[in-house]
Amino acid sequence: MNIAWESELADFLTQLSAVQEETLQVLARRRELLIAPDADEMTDVGRQEEEVLGKLEGCLRRRQELLQKAAEEGLPCENLRQLTGALPAGRAKRELSERAGKAVHRTRLLQHHSLVNWVIAQRAILHLSQILEIIATQGKMRPTYGKDDQNAARG
């Protein structure tokens, strides 16, 4: 394996790390706005999310290219950790393995943050639907069962 692989992987992991950190910042900002709503800020965050999504898609394409290139050279190509593991032993291999491990950890963290944001959004929707129901019924809920129920008289 030549030095080009080390530099290719190092460049990719640097780019991926930067995009993951940016994504974490955007998700944190989204969470703040879900808790304390601000429509204008939410629109700005939406635009930022679209930009970050484009960068993440670029990282995914580059990852696919690297793995395809590795397959063509007969190197492990299932994932980047395997490819990094195929580097010759040394400091570069250790550093790249650590960076790949950190990228995997940040991916899990991104998944967690995304799930938290989804849960907050779902609870907000539930809360709003309950408020709308209270407004629509003027705060007077009809009992499900009762003496005056017309359906009880029918078969």
Side-chain angles (χ1 to χ4, degrees), residues 89-104:
R91 192 180 79 142
K93 179 179 179 174
R94 274 193 316 276
E95 288 176 6
L96 288 173
S97 292
E98 286 176 20
R99 290 174 64 188
K102 287 178 183 178
V104 169

Side-chain angles (χ1 to χ4, degrees), residues 69-82:
K69 189 192 271 186
E72 291 169 1
E73 292 186 20
L75 298 170
C77 61
E78 191 171 317
N79 59 47
L80 290 178
R81 284 185 116 177
Q82 277 187 350

Side-chain angles (χ1 to χ4, degrees), residues 19 22-23 26 48-57:
V19 172
E22 186 178 354
T23 306
V26 171
Q48 290 174 348
E49 285 175 332
E50 288 177 17
E51 291 173 16
V52 169
L53 179 62
K55 292 176 184 178
L56 285 169
E57 288 172 343

